[in-house]
Amino acid sequence: MPVILAIESSCDETSASVCVDGAILSNIIANQTIHEAYGGVVPELASRVHQQNIVPAVQQALFNAKVSKNDVDAVAFTRGPGLLGSLLVGVSFAKSFALAKNIPLIEVNHMQAHVLAHFIGDNKPAFPFLCLTVSGGHTQIVLVKDYFDMEVIGQTLDDAAGEAMDKTSKILGLPYPGGPLIDKYARQGNADAYKFPEPQIPGFDFSFSGLKTSILYFIRDNVAINPDFIQQNINDICASVEKRIATILLHKLEKAADAYGIKDIALAGGVSANTGLRQGLLALGEKKGWRCFIPAMQYCTDNAAMIAIAGYHKYLKGEFTGQDVAPLARMPF
């Protein structure tokens, strides 16, 4: 029963997890609040806080799993993509731990790990399946043929869906991180109050830059007429924006599912925590006869449990990496 220690440090969450024979026994996530004052992640600050958090996070993960560091058979870590300074902290720790214990290293692609989060627990999709992976930096439709046989069949041509959420929250004057606040306000609003355009992009690709611009002009023009427009209509604005982003994503996903004849459909990434998107997928799935899969909330955002489950399947295949490995800010899928 292999014991895998996993490290995730690609952005602003320091996370450690322990996986024993494919079961996640702990998943510690240390969030960084220092970025709230700047309205977004500051890379240099993120890497410094990772240095502070990584040892306590690993200690807590081992303690919660009731596992000794001497029991660990391999260390899995996020090699990329992500912020280079943040990745460097996690990669350096993983290499040091593995060297000290003379155990193998397993590199993991962060985006592949989001997809493989669906193999935590018992309710798992069957190959092949489609996974809509949506985060602050990525928006992809992935055809998943096997654990590490994945093909990106659609992706954003500019901004990611998460970026559109973040930019909207900034336009509305909401504090960082704005995604959860948009979700909160949207639950109390009318999603049909305002109409925003849907980009007409061929194939399965996405574009959100035009939507972001239309939201900016919409707010600017209405605030010019009524300075209190945002405060008086915040719920309806958030609900309408959330609905448009969700429909853009789901229309492309439906198109891809029809084209490939696939009925197992999964959702992953940080934006998969959004209530409107989750509800929209389940409603569309019921209409289309899909089997829909959405990870538990703690496995949607960046976390080491998804790195651990990916590392476990690589361990079974004997796919290890050497001590000369370096982090990659951009890493091919």
Side-chain angles (χ1 to χ4, degrees), residues 110-123:
H110 178 84
M111 297 310 297
Q112 289 186 347
H114 270 304
V115 176
L116 295 177
H118 291 93
F119 293 91
I120 300 173
D122 297 327
N123 188 30

Side-chain angles (χ1 to χ4, degrees), residues 155-239:
Q155 59 189 329
T156 183
L157 303 177
D158 40 59
D159 293 345
E163 286 178 286
M165 289 270 195
D166 291 339
K167 295 294 172 57
T168 298
S169 70
K170 279 191 175 183
I171 293 168
L172 296 176
L174 299 177
Y176 176 85
L181 289 173
I182 289 180
D183 195 335
K184 174 186 173 183
Y185 290 127
R187 304 284 66 77
Q188 307 167 61
N190 175 12
D192 296 314
Y194 306 109
K195 302 296 183 185
F196 295 104
E198 179 169 359
Q200 300 304 306
I201 307 298
F204 308 132
D205 289 331
F206 303 91
S207 171
F208 289 97
S209 62
L211 174 64
K212 183 183 67 178
T213 303
S214 71
I215 294 169
L216 175 64
Y217 290 162
F218 169 81
I219 297 298
R220 182 199 65 184
D221 294 345
N222 280 279
V223 168
I225 299 169
N226 174 14
D228 297 322
F229 176 75
I230 295 176
Q231 291 81 355
Q232 293 172 359
N233 300 279
I234 187 71
N235 294 339
D236 289 347
I237 296 169
C238 288

Side-chain angles (χ1 to χ4, degrees), residues 10-11 13 81 110-111 114 132-141 156 158-166 206 208 245 249 267-274 277 300-302 306:
S10 63
C11 189
E13 284 96 2
H110 178 84
M111 297 310 297
H114 270 304
L132 173 63
T133 308
V134 198
S135 68
H138 298 83
T139 303
Q140 300 172 332
I141 299 177
T156 183
D158 40 59
D159 293 345
E163 286 178 286
M165 289 270 195
D166 291 339
F206 303 91
F208 289 97
I245 291 174
L249 294 168
L267 184 62
V271 182
S272 66
N274 177 266
L277 180 57
C300 290
T301 55
D302 293 347
M306 67 184 192

Side-chain angles (χ1 to χ4, degrees), residues 78-102:
T78 302
R79 186 182 183 190
L83 301 175
L84 194 58
S86 295
L87 290 166
L88 186 61
V89 176
V91 174
S92 298
F93 182 93
K95 289 166 67 173
S96 300
F97 191 103
L99 185 64
K101 293 298 174 184
N102 194 28

